[in-house]
Amino acid sequence: MVSSSHEALHRIFQEDPALFARAVKALGVSFAEPVSAVPLTTDLTETRPVERRVDTLLRMETGDNGSFLLAVESQGKQDRDKPASWAYYLSHLHAKYRLPPVLLVVCADRRTAAWAARQVDIGPPQWPSLTVRPLVLGPDQLPVIDSADEAARDIPLTVLSAALHRRDPDADAILKALASALKGLSADDENTASIFIELTEQGLGKTPAAELWRQIMAADLSFFQSETAQNLRAEGREEGRAEGREEGRAEGREEGRAEGREEGRAKGRAEAILLLLERRGVVVSEGERARIAGCRDLDVLEVWFSRAITASSAADVFGEAE
């Protein structure tokens, strides 16, 4: 199953396509900031039974009337077969859309980022016919954003910074700066804040930084009145009460507390998905609503939330539109 941190590293570019131009400045590459971006199907499957999918695909329109395709790949580990897949993606996209394609690979692991950044020549050494040269964003390429003022100027970039530096000592400072920036959003931006709160938690994966983020959200978001934030605060209070009641009891009860906390997080995530779909105007039937509300698998719910950010129907959320 695709991990939530994998989803966050490429879906952040769906939420804010212009983030691409700002982020790759750290690589010394300059792209005009797009004036519009149109999501395209990520399915690159041919009629033959070979399925190929890029993580995120956007058609970018820039202010100088230029257009290009941006393919974003979230790469969690080294994979010797990936360069061949990337070459296929780029060739297929160029042939299909007749637009110049750009491949961006986002890695939270430094060794994986260094591996992905290698130029791959395809063909005989005396005359390679095809060269794969992705742009790569990793912890060493994207700066640490630990200033509240800087975070407020570019919240999506700060979310990406937190995801890429999630294993670094700087993660705590980034998350505190991000929380402060979210606090400065107006009441009209509650839906936007909800999305970035969830993307941040997904991007942090199962690192200690993820637990810190949940604590920050539970303790410091009294200013934030969305259903998502209320669920997080209620969950934190319930965990505290449960731990207080159970203190001193048999060690075997710890498993029960863990299951209760897991169920509470799943319920909150399901409610966040329904809230997001409602705010985006996606029609959800009673049966679909019950399916989401009744799910207690956090991994499944995290994937559903990621899909809900761009879904046009509940079938898209469940992955059944395919």
Side-chain angles (χ1 to χ4, degrees):
M1 178 178 292
V2 176
S3 67
S4 60
S5 57
H6 173 100
E7 291 286 308
L9 286 180
H10 69 87
R11 286 187 179 273
I12 185 69
F13 293 93
Q14 296 179 13
E15 187 62 34
D16 182 7
L19 172 62
F20 163 71
R22 302 195 302 273
V24 298
K25 286 181 180 178
L27 304 177
V29 181
S30 179
F31 280 85
E33 190 157 319
V35 294
S36 68
V38 180
L40 303 175
T41 177
T42 60
D43 189 349
L44 307 184
T45 308
E46 297 187 55
T47 54
R48 59 178 181 169
V50 177
E51 183 174 324
R52 301 181 190 270
R53 291 181 182 274
V54 66
D55 287 335
T56 282
L57 179 61
L58 299 166
R59 174 174 175 156
M60 311 287 271
E61 305 289 345
T62 64
D64 58 4
N65 297 321
S67 301
F68 66 94
L69 300 175
L70 176 63
V72 185
E73 283 279 279
S74 174
Q75 192 68 27
K77 61 182 180 180
Q78 299 181 33
D79 182 349
R80 65 180 184 179
D81 295 328
K82 268 297 182 178
S85 296
W86 293 340
Y88 173 86
Y89 295 165
L90 295 170
S91 299
H92 177 89
L93 291 171
H94 184 260
K96 181 176 181 178
Y97 294 101
R98 299 298 180 183
L99 289 172
V102 175
L103 174 63
L104 176 67
V105 181
V106 189
C107 311
D109 175 70
R110 285 180 167 83
R111 293 181 63 183
T112 302
W115 163 82
R118 297 177 306 166
Q119 176 174 307
V120 177
D121 294 323
I122 299 175
Q126 65 271 30
W127 194 270
S129 298
L130 182 63
T131 297
V132 179
R133 195 174 64 155
L135 289 169
V136 178
L137 283 174
D140 292 332
Q141 286 73 46
L142 199 69
V144 170
I145 300 178
D146 54 7
S147 158
D149 290 340
E150 188 177 359
R153 285 194 293 271
D154 199 333
I155 289 177
L157 190 65
T158 307
V159 173
L160 185 59
S161 177
L164 294 184
H165 292 280
R166 62 196 183 200
R167 296 185 181 91
D168 295 350
D170 299 309
D172 292 9
I174 299 173
L175 295 178
K176 290 174 183 177
L178 177 58
S180 178
L182 290 170
K183 186 175 181 179
L185 293 176
S186 67
D188 293 337
D189 292 322
E190 283 192 5
N191 188 40
T192 300
S194 295
I195 292 171
F196 289 130
I197 288 170
E198 295 293 339
L199 277 173
T200 301
E201 184 171 346
Q202 289 181 344
L204 297 174
K206 296 182 179 180
T207 60
E211 181 58 33
L212 173 63
W213 181 244
R214 284 190 284 270
Q215 293 173 6
I216 292 174
M217 292 297 96
D220 296 342
L221 282 188
S222 58
F223 63 91
F224 193 67
Q225 298 303 315
S226 77
E227 186 172 343
T228 303
Q230 290 172 7
N231 286 333
L232 287 168
R233 290 196 296 275
E235 177 189 326
R237 289 194 296 269
E238 180 58 33
E239 286 182 18
R241 287 195 295 269
E243 289 175 2
R245 289 193 299 268
E246 296 296 334
E247 186 176 355
R249 296 186 182 181
E251 183 178 344
R253 296 296 300 277
E254 177 59 32
E255 184 177 347
R257 288 201 301 272
E259 290 176 356
R261 291 194 295 269
E262 189 83 359
E263 184 175 351
R265 284 195 290 270
K267 182 179 179 182
R269 187 58 53 84
E271 292 174 352
I273 293 171
L274 292 171
L275 173 65
L276 177 57
L277 292 173
E278 178 184 341
R279 293 289 181 85
R280 295 188 60 246
V282 177
V283 177
V284 180
S285 69
E286 288 301 319
E288 291 163 342
R289 182 178 297 275
R291 179 177 177 183
I292 294 172
C295 181
R296 291 297 178 264
D297 187 325
L298 271 172
D299 289 336
V300 171
L301 288 167
E302 286 170 350
V303 172
W304 286 357
F305 183 90
S306 297
R307 291 173 177 167
I309 295 172
T310 56
S312 57
S313 68
D316 291 338
V317 174
F318 301 135
E320 295 169 350
E322 303 159 9

